[in-house]
Amino acid sequence: MTMEHPADVLTDLIGVLGDVLRVKPEKIDPEQTFQSMGLDSLLVVEFVAVVNSRYGLRVRATDLYDFPSPVSFAREVARAASSAAAAPVPVAAAPAAAGYEAPVATAPAAAATAPAPGAAPASALRQSPAAAAATRIAEVLREQLAGILCCDPWEINTTAAFNVLGVDSMVGAEFIAVVNRSFGLRERSVLLYEHPNLAAMAAYIATRTGAAAQAVQEAQVAQAAQAAQAAQVTQVARGAQEFAPAPRTPEPAFRPAAAPAAPAVPVAADPAPAVRPLPAGDLDVLLDAIRDDRLTVDEALVLLGRRG
């Protein structure tokens, strides 16, 4: 966020100052000094952290000694914001994926052995929706705390106590200010003692902001939609099976060659009529049969030959 006009910056800074002091902005006199307003060292750190977060600056808490009132500080912020907007913006490294957990690195060798930030462990894939929401918030908190401590995010263990990580009262006040701005909260530095590590703080913020309940609800909706889709697919498959045509017997891939047709057998002519036997001793009867065309001459000769 950048504003070049000091009046606009002053209005914005008075709003931030009102949030830090828990007073209405219209009750703040911009000509009054920060010290006379009751801004102690912890509140100064919180105020400066919010200003740096909103304007992308790196103002130090000690700079308020040179600009002791909101009016003078607003002019300096407007000037620094204009200079930062004109300067080339370096490409920031991609943030680590949500759900990544790494051991605390107390030496460069420990950071070298840590897994890559983009690789989430297999256990993160089996988390409940509420735990997954807390894991994502913990990753955001780790990024923010790493920026304040000037270290890499994977060097911070989310289960390590804040005092082990080197978070003192000044750093804690700055960290809480950034957390409040990011999640729309109004927490005090005592939150660091009530929830002494990033994992515990992330679980609290997930419950406080409703992120855990929303994640559970989204998971239930997704599960119901998946079950309805599976039931619909099953019903369609059953309907297709009921109306499917009867299966046909597949034709063989190999057909044997047809057997050659048997040669036609010529129809034999009717055999000659059987020779009727000639009555014995009756030549006249044989001659009468020839005359009546009941026997041929050849048949008569055959009968005669059989008699002889």
Side-chain angles (χ1 to χ4, degrees):
M1 177 178 180
T2 59
M3 296 181 183
E4 296 182 358
H5 200 284
D8 296 333
V9 176
L10 177 60
T11 302
D12 186 59
L13 292 186
I14 290 177
V16 174
L17 190 58
D19 292 340
V20 173
L21 294 174
R22 303 293 195 271
V23 298
K24 295 181 179 180
E26 55 266 21
K27 293 185 178 181
I28 296 177
D29 183 4
E31 300 290 344
Q32 189 178 2
T33 62
F34 293 113
Q35 185 177 5
S36 62
M37 294 180 189
L39 211 65
D40 57 16
S41 58
L42 291 179
L43 294 180
V44 167
V45 172
E46 182 178 350
F47 174 61
V48 171
V50 175
V51 172
N52 286 335
S53 176
R54 290 175 67 86
Y55 292 93
L57 303 177
R58 299 189 64 86
V59 178
R60 296 173 298 178
T62 56
D63 292 341
L64 265 66
Y65 294 107
D66 298 327
F67 309 99
S69 67
V71 172
S72 59
F73 188 54
R75 286 195 293 266
E76 175 60 19
V77 170
R79 183 200 62 78
S82 300
S83 301
V89 180
V91 179
Y100 168 76
E101 294 289 341
V104 177
T106 57
T113 58
S123 59
L125 303 178
R126 298 188 296 269
Q127 289 180 333
S128 64
T135 300
R136 290 192 294 268
I137 294 177
E139 187 58 35
V140 174
L141 297 179
R142 175 158 47 188
E143 293 278 345
Q144 295 171 343
L145 185 59
I148 296 174
L149 296 176
C150 298
C151 65
D152 293 323
W154 54 83
E155 296 179 5
I156 298 177
N157 190 340
T158 57
T159 60
F162 288 118
N163 58 349
V164 175
L165 298 176
V167 178
D168 55 14
S169 58
M170 301 290 287
V171 174
E174 183 177 357
F175 178 51
I176 292 298
V178 175
V179 170
N180 287 336
R181 179 63 60 181
S182 299
F183 296 96
L185 302 176
R186 298 174 66 88
E187 300 293 337
R188 289 289 188 176
S189 298
V190 69
L191 183 67
L192 296 173
Y193 300 98
E194 296 174 349
H195 306 282
N197 56 51
L198 290 178
M201 182 181 290
Y204 168 77
I205 293 175
T207 304
R208 182 80 167 76
T209 60
Q214 182 179 0
V216 172
Q217 184 178 5
E218 291 177 354
Q220 292 175 348
V221 172
Q223 185 177 3
Q226 185 177 3
Q229 184 178 6
Q232 184 178 5
V233 171
T234 303
Q235 185 177 3
V236 172
R238 289 178 179 175
Q241 184 177 4
E242 292 177 359
F243 292 98
R248 295 182 302 174
T249 304
E251 297 184 357
F254 173 76
R255 289 179 175 273
V265 179
V267 179
D270 293 338
V275 178
R276 292 180 290 275
L278 181 67
D282 198 350
L283 183 57
D284 293 334
V285 175
L286 181 61
L287 293 176
D288 291 337
I290 292 174
R291 283 194 299 267
D292 294 338
D293 291 331
R294 288 179 287 143
L295 287 175
T296 63
V297 176
D298 294 333
E299 290 176 343
L301 292 176
V302 171
L303 290 176
L304 290 175
R306 289 178 179 178
R307 284 178 62 92

